Amino acid sequence: MQNDRTGQVAVVFVSFRNDADMVGYAEAAAAMDALAAAQPGYRGVDSAREAGGMGVTVSYWADDAAAIAWRNQPEHAAIRERGRALWYESYSVSVARIERSYDWVRP
């Protein structure tokens, strides 16, 4: 069960991957997960990718300042450029404040 995310900032990253350098991509993704988790204001992440290459990653941040700091973090910025050059066909980013949050778990 997740924490209540009400008031947090959600950064929604929707991407379309190609088949280039799958090992390098997996290593970079793991490194970015660890780096994000170490950032002030980090509150968690949810991610899924379908076999055709479409992926959705939602990272959660305490506030706008924390989300912007993550966007500007130098290692993250370098990997973002590598992704544009090598791994992604396209992506979009949307940022939203969470107004309500709830969970359900099968008993």
Side-chain angles (χ1 to χ4, degrees):
M1 196 164 195
Q2 296 178 357
N3 297 325
D4 180 11
R5 298 206 182 278
T6 302
Q8 294 180 9
V9 171
V11 177
V12 182
F13 178 71
V14 178
S15 62
F16 292 87
R17 279 241 21 235
N18 58 38
D19 292 332
D21 186 26
M22 300 293 266
V23 171
Y25 178 82
E27 291 171 353
M32 289 303 99
D33 283 348
L35 183 62
Q39 301 306 302
Y42 174 84
R43 297 294 183 259
V45 67
D46 293 314
S47 189
R49 184 165 301 279
E50 56 108 17
M54 181 187 169
V56 178
T57 298
V58 182
S59 60
Y60 303 95
W61 301 91
D63 53 30
D64 289 325
I68 290 167
W70 171 241
R71 180 194 66 199
N72 295 336
Q73 200 284 341
E75 290 175 68
H76 180 223
I79 288 295
R80 183 171 53 245
E81 290 306 313
R82 189 170 175 203
R84 289 176 180 167
L86 185 61
W87 299 313
Y88 294 116
E89 293 302 314
S90 66
Y91 66 77
S92 66
V93 177
S94 300
V95 179
R97 182 164 320 283
I98 299 172
E99 297 296 326
R100 283 181 300 284
S101 176
Y102 56 89
D103 294 329
W104 178 85
V105 176
R106 184 174 304 284

